[in-house]
């Protein structure tokens, strides 16, 4: 992938992984637009990085996606990179019912629906500019962490969607890349960082490893421990699944915690 002279849009770029990529791409001389839900946070980022373009937009809202697409196409006609990064992760206890059946689909609506809708909304300009789609998936697409079951399912869905998208766009000159990070130290993984035996990298290290693979032309990027998890999933699936369950079990919300509303306290990138 060409890493300079691009016009890039990164969803969920106001914090964590998205912001780390935005800073690095800006440093390399690209024009970078980031979106996020929180205008105050975007204002702070803009003050720190004046050359960064910021737009308030929520990938959970189809109307906001439509408005974003219209604005970006008008103001940035050279857009040629879309990084679908925004996501939410919830700790879930599947062994008990919930009265909030709509809320139960939050992660699906954002993590999967947001990627699918954003890709569709921008596919015309990306095709016209022979651009690149980068979908931020996860090593958990291969080996789920059972305390976040729906989140992991969304990443498996994005892995499958990205493969199909790549095939359908191969004759259109559009690159389709999937980045599958290991555990990364962000606001979204604060609780998981306490798990026994879990190694985490920081966002800047993820960016460094990812850019190395992008320069080499990789289309499916599994930085650091993510590659080992994918290998273990093929070699000894029962063993690696059980190991993650041992680490994750302590984070499954108890009945008492669910009664206080902890189920609906999302960690949202963007």
């Amino acid at each position: 992938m060409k890493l300079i002279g691009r016009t890039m849009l990164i969803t969920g770029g106001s914090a964590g992984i998205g912001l780390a990529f935005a800073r690095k791409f800006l440093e390399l001389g690209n024009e970078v637009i980031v979106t996020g839900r929180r205008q105050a946070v975007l204002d702070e980022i803009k003050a720190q990085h004046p050359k960064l373009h910021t737009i308030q937009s929520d990938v959970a809202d189809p109307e906001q996606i439509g408005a974003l697409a219209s604005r970006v196409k008008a103001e940035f006609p050279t857009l040629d990179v879309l990084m679908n990064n925004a996501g939410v992760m919830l700790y879930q206890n599947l062994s008990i019912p919930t009265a909030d059946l709509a809320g139960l689909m939050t992660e699906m609506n954002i993590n999967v629906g947001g990627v699918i809708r954003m890709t569709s909304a921008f596919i015309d300009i990306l095709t016209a500019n022979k651009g690149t789609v980068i979908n931020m998936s996860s090593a958990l697409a291969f080996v789920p962490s059972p305390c976040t079951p729906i989140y992991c399912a969304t990443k498996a869905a994005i892995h499958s969607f990205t493969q199909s998208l790549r095939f359908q766009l191969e004759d259109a000159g559009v690159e389709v890349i999937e980045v599958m990070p290991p555990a990364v130290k962000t606001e979204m993984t604060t609780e998981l960082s306490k798990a026994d035996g879990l190694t985490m990298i920081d966002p800047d290290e993820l960016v460094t490893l990812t850019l190395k693979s992008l320069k080499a032309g990789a289309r499916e990027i599994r930085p650091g421990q993510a590659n080992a998890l994918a290998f273990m999933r093929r070699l000894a699936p029962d063993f690696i699944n059980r190991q993650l369950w041992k680490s994750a079990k302590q984070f499954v919300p108890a009945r008492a915690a669910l009664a206080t509303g902890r189920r609906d306290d999302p960690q949202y990138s963007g």
Side-chain angles (χ1 to χ4, degrees), residues 51-216:
K51 292 184 178 181
L52 197 65
H53 303 283
T54 60
I55 302 176
Q56 190 280 325
S57 185
D58 188 347
V59 300
D61 187 336
E63 291 187 5
Q64 290 191 39
I65 290 177
L68 174 69
S70 296
R71 176 178 173 179
V72 170
K73 290 172 188 178
E75 297 181 11
F76 304 94
T78 60
L79 181 80
D80 59 352
V81 177
L82 169 64
M83 175 178 275
N84 286 309
N85 168 74
V88 61
M89 184 173 75
L90 291 163
Y91 298 96
Q92 302 276 5
N93 187 332
L94 303 180
S95 69
I96 57 177
T98 176
D100 184 12
L101 295 178
L104 198 59
M105 295 300 292
T106 297
E107 291 157 292
M108 283 291 180
N109 294 336
I110 295 169
N111 299 2
V112 180
V115 170
I116 293 172
R117 290 175 178 134
M118 283 292 298
T119 301
S120 182
F122 287 91
I123 197 62
D124 52 352
I125 190 171
L126 293 170
T127 300
N129 292 333
K130 303 295 182 183
T132 301
V133 178
I134 304 174
N135 288 336
M136 193 62 61
S137 178
S138 171
L140 297 177
F142 295 123
V143 183
S145 176
C147 62
T148 56
I150 300 176
Y151 174 83
C152 296
T154 67
K155 295 307 180 180
I158 292 305
H159 178 55
S160 178
F161 172 76
T162 303
Q163 290 178 310
S164 297
L165 184 68
R166 186 178 296 122
F167 279 118
Q168 291 201 16
L169 293 178
E170 62 183 358
D171 294 331
V174 178
E175 292 179 293
V176 179
I177 297 168
E178 182 178 7
V179 181
M180 313 181 80
V184 181
K185 297 175 185 176
T186 67
E187 292 179 7
M188 198 162 69
T189 58
T190 301
E191 287 297 316
L192 285 178
S193 66
K194 303 170 187 176
D196 294 335
L198 181 63
T199 301
M200 306 188 82
I201 63 175
D202 62 42
D204 290 333
E205 184 178 356
L206 172 64
V207 171
T208 298
L209 293 171
T210 300
L211 261 60
K212 182 178 179 180
S213 294
L214 289 174
K215 290 176 182 177

